[in-house]
Amino acid sequence: MGIRSLFRSSWFVASVTAAALTVSACGGSSSGGVGVVPPPPPPPPTLPPPSNGNQPYSDPTAYSSARSASLASAVEAAAITRHQITLRGNTIDYTATTGHLTARNATGGAEEASFFYVAYTIDNQNAATRPVTFFYNGGPGSATVWLHLGSFGPKRLVTGDPSTNGVTPFPLVDNDETLLDTTDLVFVDAIGAGYSEAIAPNTNQTFWGVDQDARVFRDFVVRYLTVNNRLASPKFLFGESYGTTRSAVLANLLETAGIQLSGVVLQSSVLNYNSNCGVVNVVLSCSGYLPSYGATGAYFNLAVPAPTDLLVFEQQLRDFTVNTYAPADLVFLTNRTLPATSVLNQLQGFTGIPVSLWSTNFNLGPGTFQSQLRPGQLIGRYDGRVSAPVGSPLASQGDPSSTFITGQFVAAINSYLVSFLQYGNGSTYVLLGTAINTWDFSHDRNQLPDTIPDLAAALAQNPVLKVLAVNGYHDLATPFYQTEVDLARLGNLPNVSVRNYAGGHMTYLDDTSRPLERADLTVFYQSALVVQ
Amino acid sequence: MRPLTLRLHLLVPALALVLPILAQAQSVDPTGPIQTELRDPSVPRALRNVKPAPATQGAALQAQVERKLRESFDAADVAGAGALTREQAQAAGLGVVAKNFDRIDIAGTGKVTFEDVKRYLRSRGAKF
C-alpha cells in the first residue's frame, strides 16, 4: 500500500499557528559566556507550600539563551506535583515532573547540556508496556510551548482559532483530547530555548546545528529513559515544524544507538529544506503550495466553482498540480514562458488569485499569496484562514495567525510553570531564542537539510518503526502536499502514513480537527504497539 | 467524510523531478514578499540562495542510506580494522550492532563487518 491520506473537511472551523516569537531573549538575566562571571541569579517567584504530595522546586540557577552562554555545572532536580483529570468518565491520577536532566556524551559520558522538561506520567504503570513520547517544537530555537499548552497535554489553552475574537486571556482547561491515557508525555526544550542551556566548556552555540542538536537530543532521551527506568518502554517522538527535521535525524541516531523507537509523529513537516520554496527564496518551484492555496481560497469563498467537499477539491488540486501546474511551472522557470490562458483561468478558479497576478507571478510564492488573496487584508502564514487588515496590529508582524496567539501563550506558560507545575525560576523562559541566526543548517553533505534519507535510514534499521505525518490544509508555512511529495520519496511503505485536517500549522488548535487528530493518533499508537 | 486512499508514490517520479528545479536568477517578487524572519521554517539570508540538493528516491536514496549506515559503522571502527566486536560496537555507541550481535555474526567469529550488518538489515526488510 502506498501512503494513505485521509482527508477531512470542515470549512468553517479552524486552527492556528505555530511557532515563533521572541520573548526578550535574555531578559536581563543572562549568564555570561565561558570565563565570564555571571550576574547573581534573579529571585525566583514565590511558590505554593508543599502539600498533598507536591514538591515545589525553587530553582536558583540563572539560565541564558545567549549564543555564548553556558552553565558552569548543572543539577538534576525537579518539582513534582500530583493532579487528576477525568477523561470520558475515567478519573486519571497523574504526576507532573518539571525540571532539568543532564545530557551526557554517548561514549565518554561528559556532561553536555542541561535540558528543561515537563513530564506527565501516570503512576503504577507497567514500564515495559506504557509508552513514553517526547514532544518538541521547532524554530530552530523555539521552546516547546505550542505543543505543551496547545495540543495533547493534560491542559490546553482555548484559542478560538481561527477566530481572533475569542476570549482573552485564553482560558486554560483540562484537555479532553490529551494523549495521557495512551502515553506518558515529555515536553522538552531545545538548548537555548525555555530553560535549557549548555554546560561548559560547551556553549549554547555548540548545539545549534542540525546534527549537533539531534545528537544532544539523543543523549537527553537516553538520560530520561535511564533515570526513569523506561528503557524498555515503547518510545515515540512527536516533533513539529523544524521539530520534524530534528525527528528524522534523531530517529536515525536513536536507532543506531540501539534505542528502538515504536513511532514518529511528524506535525507540519519540513523534512526537506531544499523543496520548500517559502524557505529558500523563489528559485524553487512553488507548485507544492498550490493545493494549500486552493484550500485557503475556498475558505474565503474565492474558488469558482465553489467546491462542496474539501476532500474532493483537494484531490482535484493534487491532480491539477501534478498533471498541469507543476509541468507548466517547470517550463516557466526554465524559459519564462507562460502556459495557455486556459491554465491561468483554471488557476484563478482553483485559488481566487486573478489571472492577472498569475500572469506576472506564475511561480506564486506563499508570501505573495498571503498579501494578494484578499485586497487590503493580510492572511496568516501559519494559518491561511486568519485574516487581518493591512496596517492593523495583528498584521504588523507579517503573520496575523501567529501574532494573535503568541502573547497569550507567553503569558500562560509563565504562570503555568509557577502555579500548576510549582517550578520557580527567576530567569526569563525564552520562547524563541536567536539560535536560527547562527544555526548550522548543513547536513549530510548538503548546505540545507534533506532528512528523508535519515528517515529512510531509521526505517532500514528498524523495519517496524511507524511514521505518521499530520498536516493542516490551510498551513502556508509547511504545505501538506509538499510533505506528501517529500515522503513519497520513501517509496511504497505500509508503515508511513499521512493525515490532513482543516487547519493551519497547528491543526490541534482547531476545535473540530483536534478530536479528529487525537482519534487518528490513538489508532496510530495502537498499531505501533501491536507490532512490538 | 469519506476517506480517500492515495498512492502517492505513483506521483513521485513526476514531481520529484519538477519541484526542485532551479531557475536562472529568479526575480524578486514584485508584490513584495512578506518578511518571515525567524519564523519556522526559515533560514538566514545567506543560505537562501544556495543550490538546492536533488530530491533522491529509489536506488539513489537507498545508496544514501547505505552510505550513512556505513559511515556510522566506520566511525565506530576507530581501529580501522573493518570489523567490530560486540564490545567495540557497544563502546562506540553503535547499539544497533551490539544489541543484535549474535544475529549479525551468523558465522560466530566474534567480529562483524559492515557487510554482515547490511545482510542482517536486509534480511529484516531494509531496502538498501
Side-chain angles (χ1 to χ4, degrees):
Chain A
M1 283 293 96
I3 292 173
R4 290 164 182 269
S5 293
L6 177 58
F7 309 107
R8 297 195 154 107
S9 70
S10 97
W11 294 107
F12 307 108
V13 203
S15 91
V16 162
T17 300
L21 270 239
T22 303
V23 183
S24 94
C26 303
S29 66
S30 61
S31 58
V34 176
V36 178
V37 178
T46 304
L47 296 172
S51 64
N52 301 324
N54 291 339
Q55 300 170 34
Y57 177 50
S58 184
D59 182 353
T61 311
Y63 295 100
S64 170
S65 68
R67 177 183 177 184
S68 61
S70 61
L71 299 166
S73 62
V75 177
E76 293 187 322
I80 296 171
T81 52
R82 315 283 180 189
H83 310 276
Q84 276 189 344
I85 185 171
T86 300
L87 295 174
R88 287 159 282 283
N90 296 324
T91 299
I92 296 176
D93 294 304
Y94 67 95
T95 298
T97 304
T98 307
H100 287 78
L101 283 174
T102 299
R104 290 166 162 78
N105 183 285
T107 48
E111 295 189 348
E112 296 171 316
S114 181
F115 272 91
F116 182 71
Y117 72 100
V118 180
Y120 300 98
T121 54
I122 297 184
D123 299 337
N124 303 317
Q125 300 288 299
N126 181 351
T129 56
R130 171 74 172 166
V132 56
T133 304
F134 296 91
F135 290 79
Y136 35 80
N137 278 104
S142 172
T144 303
V145 69
W146 310 104
L147 284 167
H148 188 182
L149 293 185
S151 70
F152 302 104
K155 295 276 188 183
R156 71 173 177 88
L157 292 170
V158 179
T159 63
D161 162 73
S163 166
T164 55
N165 299 318
V167 175
T168 54
F170 292 160
L172 184 73
V173 299
D174 278 348
N175 187 0
D176 285 342
E177 284 77 51
T178 183
L179 288 172
L180 192 57
D181 55 351
T182 298
T183 175
D184 288 335
L185 315 166
V186 181
F187 296 89
V188 55
D189 291 330
I191 301 306
Y195 291 135
S196 292
E197 186 173 346
I199 299 172
N202 302 294
T203 65
N204 287 334
Q205 176 70 51
T206 305
F207 305 107
W208 287 357
V210 175
D211 294 316
Q212 302 90 323
D213 166 87
R215 283 195 292 263
V216 80
F217 261 81
R218 172 197 60 198
D219 298 340
F220 166 77
V221 167
V222 169
R223 184 65 182 164
Y224 182 89
L225 296 172
T226 304
V227 166
N228 293 286
N229 296 314
R230 300 300 296 271
L231 281 163
S233 297
K235 305 157 199 79
F236 291 78
L237 304 179
F238 194 128
E240 174 176 320
S241 207
Y242 180 83
T244 65
T245 315
R246 173 182 296 135
S247 280
V249 180
L250 174 57
N252 183 40
L253 292 180
L254 285 168
E255 295 295 344
T256 298
I259 308 293
Q260 183 168 321
L261 294 169
S262 294
V264 176
V265 180
L266 305 167
Q267 170 81 48
S268 301
S269 294
V270 53
L271 295 167
N272 183 8
Y273 275 67
N274 300 273
S275 69
N276 188 324
C277 85
V279 171
V280 289
N281 280 337
V282 203
V283 295
L284 282 176
S285 171
C286 293
S287 57
Y289 275 87
L290 188 70
S292 306
Y293 298 162
T296 306
Y299 177 79
F300 291 110
N301 298 313
L302 296 170
V304 178
T308 54
D309 185 322
L310 183 55
L311 260 91
V312 173
F313 185 52
E314 288 302 336
Q315 191 52 47
Q316 290 172 341
L317 279 158
R318 287 187 186 87
D319 293 342
F320 178 75
T321 301
V322 72
N323 294 322
T324 304
Y325 178 57
D329 199 33
L330 171 59
V331 170
F332 173 77
L333 291 175
T334 304
N335 61 21
R336 301 278 133 185
T337 305
L338 287 173
T341 308
S342 62
V343 173
L344 301 177
N345 287 335
Q346 283 178 289
L347 284 165
Q348 175 172 327
F350 274 128
T351 62
I353 292 288
V355 165
S356 57
L357 187 58
W358 284 112
S359 302
T360 55
N361 295 65
F362 190 69
N363 187 40
L364 188 70
T368 307
F369 181 80
Q370 276 182 264
S371 65
Q372 298 300 307
L373 182 67
R374 308 186 77 202
Q377 298 271 317
L378 177 67
I379 63 170
R381 178 177 185 247
Y382 286 138
D383 190 339
R385 300 171 307 175
V386 176
S387 184
V390 172
S392 69
L394 269 186
S396 63
Q397 317 250 338
D399 182 356
S401 67
S402 177
T403 301
F404 130 72
I405 59 169
T406 297
Q408 293 291 324
F409 273 70
V410 172
I413 190 66
N414 280 296
S415 81
Y416 182 74
L417 289 170
V418 174
S419 61
F420 188 77
L421 300 174
Q422 303 192 14
Y423 171 88
N425 186 276
S427 310
T428 299
Y429 183 83
V430 177
L431 213 65
L432 183 66
T434 58
I436 197 169
N437 293 329
T438 54
W439 195 263
D440 178 4
F441 278 95
S442 68
H443 174 63
D444 206 10
R445 307 182 181 181
N446 294 325
Q447 288 179 278
L448 294 173
D450 170 14
T451 65
I452 292 293
D454 298 82
L455 208 48
L459 290 160
Q461 295 183 86
N462 176 7
V464 297
L465 173 65
K466 296 221 170 213
V467 178
L468 173 65
V470 289
N471 311 289
Y473 283 122
H474 306 91
D475 178 3
L476 299 176
T478 58
F480 75 93
Y481 179 61
Q482 187 61 58
T483 294
E484 293 175 352
V485 171
D486 290 342
L487 283 171
R489 290 168 54 200
L490 292 169
N492 188 5
L493 297 179
N495 45 344
V496 178
S497 53
V498 180
R499 297 287 184 274
N500 301 311
Y501 311 92
H505 202 61
M506 301 165 78
T507 48
Y508 46 76
L509 296 184
D510 184 305
D511 288 339
T512 296
S513 294
R514 187 179 54 259
L516 298 175
E517 186 172 344
R518 180 198 136 83
D520 286 339
L521 287 166
T522 303
V523 170
F524 173 73
Y525 273 80
Q526 287 167 349
S527 70
L529 294 173
V530 162
V531 298
Q532 292 306 304
Chain B
M1 289 301 121
R2 67 191 169 85
L4 287 186
T5 299
L6 181 69
R7 298 193 176 186
L8 277 168
H9 63 285
L10 298 177
L11 303 182
V12 177
L15 271 186
L17 292 175
V18 169
L19 291 179
I21 272 297
L22 271 173
Q24 297 297 317
Q26 166 72 348
S27 60
V28 174
D29 206 323
T31 50
I34 301 300
Q35 294 303 306
T36 52
E37 303 290 326
L38 287 176
R39 301 285 170 80
D40 188 3
S42 68
V43 297
R45 284 187 178 282
L47 281 175
R48 291 181 195 171
N49 291 311
V50 303
K51 182 181 178 182
T56 51
Q57 58 183 311
L61 175 62
Q62 295 307 325
Q64 279 177 282
V65 170
E66 178 168 349
R67 174 175 55 72
K68 290 171 74 68
L69 297 180
R70 187 186 297 276
E71 286 173 357
S72 303
F73 186 93
D74 290 346
D77 179 20
V78 287
L84 293 172
T85 65
R86 185 199 315 266
E87 292 69 27
Q88 287 170 331
Q90 186 64 47
L94 200 61
V96 65
V97 170
K99 285 190 174 181
N100 300 295
F101 197 84
D102 292 337
R103 279 173 279 188
I104 300 170
D105 181 26
I106 47 177
T109 63
K111 289 196 167 195
V112 297
T113 64
F114 180 71
E115 290 305 312
D116 295 330
V117 175
K118 189 172 156 183
R119 189 184 312 114
Y120 165 71
L121 293 177
R122 281 179 167 178
S123 74
R124 301 174 73 226
K127 292 186 168 185
F128 72 94

